[in-house]
Every structure is written in structure tokens, then in C-alpha cells.
Amino acid sequence: MAEVSKPRRTLFGSERARDEALTAYLFLSPYLLVTLVFTIGVLLFAVYVSFTEFNLFTWPPTWVGLENYKEALTDRRFIRSLVNAVWYVIIVVPAQTTLALFLAVLINSKVRGSNFYRSIYYAPSVTSSVVISLIFWWLYLKTGYLNFGITEALGAVGREWAAIEWLNDPRGLFQLLLGPFGVEISFDLWYLRGPSITWMAIMFQNIFTTAPTFMIMFLAALQDVPPTLYEASAIDGANRRHRFFRITIPMLPPVILFIVVLGTIGTWQVFDQIKILTSGGPLNTTLTPVYLIYVEALGTSGPPRMGFAGAMAFFLAVIIFVFTLIQRRYIESGTEAY
Amino acid sequence: MAERALPLTSVQEKRLQSLGNLVASLKKGVTYAILVSGALLAVSPLIWMISTSLMSLGEAQGVRLVPSTIHFENYTAAWQEADLAGYFINSVKITLITLVGQLLASVLAAYGFAKIKFPRRDLIFGVMLSTIMIPAMVLIIPNFLTVTWLGRIGPIRWINNWPALTIPFMGSIFSIFLLRQFFAQIPDELFDVAQIDGAGHLRFLRQVVIPLSKAPLMVIVVLSFMGSWNALAWPMLVTNSPKWRPIAVGLMNFVDEAGQRTNHMMAGAVITIIPILILYFITQKQFTESIARSALKG
């Protein structure tokens, strides 16, 4: 009896396991099908195309090996777009993270109606980028509200203000700062001019719309800090600032890491604002890698060059990946210090 | 002496206390001032957009904050000029199809990853989760080629039709991740009990898991709704006629055509975001909470 039932039970077991696996794959199949085609398949296809010259119409593409990659590394516009993106990342990510944390701490400090502030602050983030960009475009006009406001404010203290065309001003930050000292930076040295006025205007818009999302994440993290920690420190005589820097901040690294990584990935891929507001201009000072990839692949300025676009996309993906790794390492080692 | 000194110190104490109260209330005042001005700054673009949408053309082109008379007719004008009705219906259709597809695929997959045991489950999930790192814009052009090709070999057209606009968005690993976290917390014993009653996975999912998971499901509905309603680059690429173009693209076209008619433009913009704003303000409390929670678990 026992001899018969033993193999039977394992057979039953394995059959059940097989049934379970089959059910699992049935459950997963709709999702897997979509992802295998539109994410993984497309990714492999993009990698293949990046080794070819492909103009969207002639099939099959011509194999050119590493030519596109070599060209991308020497393409002036690509280098330019990367430099622009670096400015964007190193200004926008710290600014929006700090602002988000600051707002979250304020809302968390036992104010009345914190839910109200939270939902109000988040409202710009749910609005579509088309609409937000439209509003900012209007705000940034030469005859728009921003210039008007500054003129009025400076007029009140007796100063003049020459209206700026915010979305069409290629002058760079360092160029403006050094100009009064008689330092001229020639156009050949564009990389020394710093981010242009237009680029900074778009940065501001991005900070405005992204900070609230991150604020909400910080807020949740702050509310997760056990209140007993604060009570204990209060007994030890810690003041508010001490509590913030000694308890709150040390509790936050995982969230900060998450938000910085998310922010970096997002800022490296900035596209909608460029497409709607500037098309990469003026003088390529708002050209971004993704916008360039888009333009090249579709052939908006010349024949479509899928392969070249694919090679640039590959470099961009590598950069984003490396940034994520560095941040993870850096912030994790920062946590261990505590 | 002692009797005199005592009242004095208590007065001093009181003064000190009131000074402390003053500092505390000052701090509180500054906090509120920053919060309120921040809130004003946050909503000012929206308020200003609504305000401009109600102005006459002359007022809208100047710098004015409040309309002198309310011009509701801007809305009907924008609605007709931009043919927003058609785009609006397209957006509703696209959003609903995406929503239903994504919800079905995500619930099934999340349940599979959370509650059914199969070989290399965690490995497969990890690989799928890593696709989050792929920049979406990088895949946009190859995806365009894929949908063109699918339309050529398949029974239905993809370009300029609903499949291209909806099907690629049905596989959302983010939604699956959110749901899986939640499903995993449901005790396995519940399934064992259900199994004794003769229920399979599908029935357990339908009758037990889904009713328990209303909160994360709602987050996915809202997020997917927003993503689909606000999408711009992809719909612009895969449509070339108003037949299937969503409202974001319609608004972009209208902005190009409307030129200087800012008041109409803004009215169009307000119409575009009304569904999103309504959805957001209905669900905002649960929504912001779950967004934050889900983010922290990631």
C-alpha cells in the first residue's frame, strides 16, 4: 500500500506543480505578450538597428558596424545636447529635491489643514505637460506676466528692466555674470557660457511641476518616523533644528535615494517641454539627447536616420544606468556613516 | 524681602513665557505664510489660465489678472473652432480601452507573481521590473516601426487606429508591482480555505482578492487615466488625422491655429484638463497616500 501510494503522491504533487505553473503562465500571458513585443522585442530591435544605416523605408537596413556609435561620439549636436542635459540634471535634481523636502517638512510640522496643502501643491503635477507648457509659454512672453511683474517691481524701487524674451534668449548664465567685468565668451566656447536663459526658464518650469510629486513621497517618509524617537530626543533637550538634522534627515536616505534616482532618470529624458516650447533652440541651447534622438529618427531635419538615433539612445541609456549606480553607491555609503 | 522677590520673579517668568509664546507663534506664522504663498504659487498658473479663458480678446492679450466682464462664450468658441468634441470623445475612448486592458493584464499578472508558485518566478519578475529603467522615449521610434509592421501583417490597422494608441500601454510593470505588493499581503490560508470550497485561482482572485484591493486598484485607475489622457508624443506619432487623435494633440494643433486668440486657447486648455482635475480632487486623499506608500516600498 505504502509503496504504491508514495510515488503516486509525488506524481500528484508534480502534476499539481505543473498545473500551477501552467495557470501562472496563463495569468501572465497578456502582460508578457505586450511587454515581449513592445518593450523587450523593441529594445533588441533598436540595438540591432543601431549597428545599421536605416532610413525607415529601405528594408533590410545596411549593416555598418560601429559607425553610428563613432559618429555619435563626435557629433557636435549630440555633445551639445549632453552638456545641456548635464546642466539640467545638476541644477534641477538638487533644486526640486530640496524644495520637495522643505515643503514636506513644513507640512509635516503639525500645521492645520496639511491635507489641503498637500492636494493643492500636487495639482500642477496632474495637469498635462501640454497645458502646463502652454501656461508657461504665455508667462514667458516678452509682453508676458513675468516681464511685467519684474518691470513693476523694479520700477517701484526706481530701476529699469529691459524685457527678456525668456523662451528665445541664448545668453548663458556665466556670460551674463562675467559680462559686467568685461569678459566676453565667444560662441566657439559655448560650453563655458553656462545654461542659457531659455534653458533656465524651462528648468524652473520642470522644478515647479515635479517638486510636488516628490514632496508627497517625502511627506509619507516623514510620517513614518516613529514619534517615540522625537519624544526621546525632546527629553534629552534637543531643539527643533537638532531633531531635524539628527533624526529626520538620517531616517530619510532610502527615500532621498529613490527620489534623486527618479529625478535623474526623468531629467535626462526631458522631451515634452522642448518639443512644445523651443524645439531645441535658441542656438541649440535647449537641445536635449531625447529630442535629438527623436528628430534624427524621424528625419525632421534631413533624412530619417534610425541607426544613428539608436546609437545615441544607447549612449543615453548607459549614462542613465551609470548615474543610477553611482547615486545608489554614494547615498548608501552616506547612510552607513550614521 | 522674600515676599517681594517672589511676585517679581513670577512676573518675569510670565514675561519670559509670553516672549516664548511670541516666538512660537511667530514661527508658526512664518510657516503658514510660506505654506500659503507656496499654495498660491502652485495654483496660480491654473487660476490664471481660468481667468484668461474668461477674458475678452483685448484683455487676454494685455497683462490683466481678472476679466472685467465674464466671457463664457470663449468656451463654446474654442469647443467649435478646435472641434474639441471629436478629440474629447477620442480621448475618452482611448483612455477607457487602455484602462480596461491595463487593469486586466496587470491584475492577472500581479496575481500570478504574488500568489501562484512557478519555477524562477522571482527571477522573471526581477527581469520585468528592470524594464522600468529603460527610457521610454528611447523606444518610441522603434515602437512606431513595430506598430506599422503589425498593422501590415495583422488583420487590423494599427496606425491611425485604436490598437497603436492603446495596446502598447497595457503592459505596465509599475501597476503590476503596486498590485503584487498588495496581493502578497493577503494570507495564503485564505486561498487554502477557498480551495476546499472548490474555488480555483480565478475565482479566488475575483471573489476575494479584488474586493480586498480596492485602494491600489483605484491608484492604478487614476495613474493610467492620467497617463493616457495627457499623452502627447506617442499619439502625435501614430495618428495623422483627427479620426483617432486625442485631446492633447487636438489642443496642440489648436494652439498653432489659434495664434493670438489666447482667450480661446486657454478655454481649450481648461476643457482639456477638467476630467483630470475632477478625478484628482475626488480621489486625491487616497491617491496621494497610496502613491507615497507605493513609492516607499519601491
Side-chain angles (χ1 to χ4, degrees):
Chain A
M1 265 307 270
E3 277 177 56
V4 183
S5 74
K6 210 179 173 186
R8 228 191 202 171
R9 211 184 302 146
T10 42
L11 188 70
F12 179 68
S14 77
E15 221 168 55
R16 222 198 116 169
R18 211 194 300 148
D19 277 359
E20 283 279 287
L22 206 68
T23 320
Y25 285 118
L26 270 177
F27 272 60
L28 294 181
S29 56
Y31 160 70
L32 284 183
L33 199 64
V34 172
T35 302
L36 286 178
V37 174
F38 294 103
T39 308
I40 295 171
V42 157
L43 185 70
L44 295 177
F45 176 63
V47 171
Y48 161 68
V49 164
S50 72
F51 293 106
T52 68
E53 196 62 62
F54 180 40
N55 65 5
L56 302 180
F57 309 110
T58 349
W59 190 263
T62 345
W63 185 267
V64 294
L66 286 170
E67 276 313 306
N68 289 321
Y69 287 89
K70 282 184 201 153
E71 192 184 338
L73 286 179
T74 51
D75 187 277
R76 289 185 65 155
R77 288 167 312 152
F78 187 53
I79 307 284
R80 177 107 217 217
S81 73
L82 290 177
V83 173
N84 287 341
V86 168
W87 282 124
Y88 201 76
V89 172
I90 62 177
I91 294 176
V92 172
V93 173
Q96 72 191 10
T97 311
T98 321
L99 181 65
L101 184 57
F102 175 72
L103 290 175
V105 169
L106 273 192
I107 293 182
N108 197 40
S109 65
K110 285 184 192 135
V111 290
R112 239 175 286 154
S114 57
N115 278 339
F116 168 77
Y117 292 114
R118 191 171 64 174
S119 45
I120 288 291
Y121 283 154
Y122 196 60
S125 300
V126 302
T127 315
S128 73
S129 57
V130 188
V131 170
I132 285 283
S133 297
L134 187 61
I135 297 173
F136 272 89
W137 167 77
W138 185 233
L139 196 71
Y140 284 146
L141 278 182
K142 201 170 182 183
T143 54
Y145 285 85
L146 188 58
N147 277 319
F148 177 73
I150 298 174
T151 312
E152 290 290 302
L154 288 179
V157 294
R159 299 279 296 270
E160 292 267 321
W161 172 256
I164 288 177
E165 226 179 313
W166 297 98
L167 289 180
N168 192 22
D169 197 324
R171 284 177 295 166
L173 178 64
F174 301 139
Q175 195 186 357
L176 287 172
L177 290 176
L178 296 174
F181 302 102
V183 181
E184 289 280 332
I185 306 172
S186 77
F187 184 71
D188 294 337
L189 300 172
W190 55 268
Y191 43 87
L192 291 179
R193 289 184 163 188
S196 71
I197 288 185
T198 306
W199 202 209
M200 290 187 286
I202 291 177
M203 288 176 191
F204 179 79
Q205 181 194 333
N206 194 322
I207 294 167
F208 183 86
T209 47
T210 319
T213 316
F214 293 152
M215 174 206 70
I216 285 177
M217 295 176 183
F218 273 132
L219 200 53
L222 288 173
Q223 285 161 353
D224 275 352
V225 177
T228 45
L229 273 180
Y230 288 118
E231 284 155 21
S233 72
I235 294 168
D236 290 347
N239 62 23
R240 240 174 106 172
R241 216 178 44 180
H242 271 127
R243 266 180 286 158
F244 180 70
F245 284 109
R246 295 284 158 76
I247 298 177
T248 314
I249 292 282
M251 293 292 285
L252 289 177
V255 200
I256 295 180
L257 169 72
F258 181 74
I259 285 171
V260 168
V261 168
L262 222 59
T264 309
I265 294 177
T267 43
W268 269 104
Q269 294 184 64
V270 57
F271 175 79
D272 281 11
Q273 294 96 317
I274 312 300
K275 171 99 182 105
I276 300 167
L277 293 174
T278 65
S279 305
L283 297 179
N284 287 340
T285 57
T286 66
L287 189 67
T288 65
V290 175
Y291 186 74
L292 187 62
I293 290 165
Y294 182 84
V295 167
E296 281 297 319
L298 273 192
T300 320
S301 62
R305 297 192 56 202
M306 276 294 299
F308 183 47
M312 292 192 290
F314 173 80
F315 282 122
L316 179 65
V318 168
I319 289 171
I320 293 177
F321 186 70
V322 169
F323 258 74
T324 314
L325 287 186
I326 293 174
Q327 280 167 343
R328 169 159 279 173
R329 203 157 167 195
Y330 178 74
I331 295 184
E332 266 171 11
S333 64
T335 333
E336 279 157 18
Y338 276 100
Chain B
M1 263 304 265
E3 271 174 20
R4 248 189 182 180
L6 246 157
L8 250 175
T9 40
S10 78
V11 166
Q12 281 175 332
E13 227 164 62
K14 262 185 192 160
R15 274 191 192 152
L16 257 175
Q17 212 173 10
S18 65
L19 191 72
N21 286 344
L22 189 70
V23 172
S25 54
L26 253 178
K27 266 188 183 166
K28 201 135 223 190
V30 171
T31 307
Y32 276 111
I34 296 173
L35 278 178
V36 170
S37 45
L40 282 176
L41 195 68
V43 290
S44 61
L46 295 177
I47 302 274
W48 168 82
M49 171 173 71
I50 294 167
S51 168
T52 308
S53 73
L54 295 168
M55 288 177 187
S56 69
L57 185 57
E59 282 174 348
Q61 286 175 340
V63 268
R64 238 194 116 90
L65 289 178
V66 197
S68 53
T69 45
I70 304 286
H71 292 268
F72 272 121
E73 67 273 17
N74 291 341
Y75 282 83
T76 47
W79 185 261
Q80 282 158 2
E81 279 170 30
D83 189 29
L84 286 181
Y87 291 119
F88 202 93
I89 293 168
N90 289 345
S91 267
V92 170
K93 284 196 270 189
I94 294 168
T95 305
L96 284 182
I97 298 172
T98 312
L99 205 63
V100 170
Q102 197 195 97
L103 220 51
L104 269 177
S106 304
V107 167
L108 286 174
Y111 184 86
F113 281 127
K115 285 276 167 248
I116 311 180
K117 287 182 187 73
F118 60 93
R120 298 192 187 82
R121 180 175 78 174
D122 293 341
L123 178 75
I124 295 175
F125 183 69
V127 170
M128 292 303 158
L129 196 59
S130 67
T131 59
I132 265 184
M133 299 245 298
I134 304 168
M137 287 303 303
V138 161
L139 296 183
I140 192 168
I141 308 293
N143 254 323
F144 173 65
L145 297 178
T146 309
V147 293
T148 319
W149 174 71
L150 282 170
R152 218 174 286 148
I153 62 159
I156 43 166
R157 224 151 47 113
W158 281 59
I159 298 289
N160 261 326
N161 203 0
W162 61 269
L165 290 158
T166 58
I167 293 177
F169 299 99
M170 290 180 183
S172 161
I173 188 65
F174 184 71
S175 301
I176 293 172
F177 177 71
L178 270 184
L179 285 174
R180 177 181 164 270
Q181 301 291 94
F182 198 88
F183 289 176
Q185 290 168 5
I186 296 171
D188 282 336
E189 288 76 20
L190 275 181
F191 178 63
D192 297 339
V193 173
Q195 219 176 9
I196 293 166
D197 286 348
H201 281 296
L202 203 59
R203 214 172 103 198
F204 180 65
L205 172 64
R206 220 176 46 222
Q207 294 183 343
V208 180
V209 176
I210 290 179
L212 283 173
S213 313
K214 281 190 186 127
L217 284 172
M218 199 192 65
V219 174
I220 291 170
V221 167
V222 177
L223 276 179
S224 156
F225 188 99
M226 282 176 186
S228 183
W229 192 270
N230 291 341
L232 177 71
W234 177 253
M236 246 160 76
L237 204 59
V238 297
T239 55
N240 51 31
S241 80
K243 198 175 161 241
W244 270 99
R245 285 204 149 162
I247 197 156
V249 181
L251 182 69
M252 269 290 275
N253 293 346
F254 181 48
V255 169
D256 288 340
E257 289 160 21
Q260 299 298 310
R261 293 196 301 278
T262 331
N263 49 349
H264 292 185
M265 238 158 72
M266 291 301 161
V270 173
I271 294 171
T272 310
I273 60 165
I274 282 175
I276 293 283
L277 286 184
I278 291 176
L279 189 69
Y280 172 62
F281 279 106
I282 292 174
T283 59
Q284 59 84 19
K285 195 165 180 287
Q286 301 94 311
F287 176 68
T288 45
E289 265 161 24
S290 337
I291 277 286
R293 303 265 150 228
S294 61
L296 293 182
K297 279 173 191 146

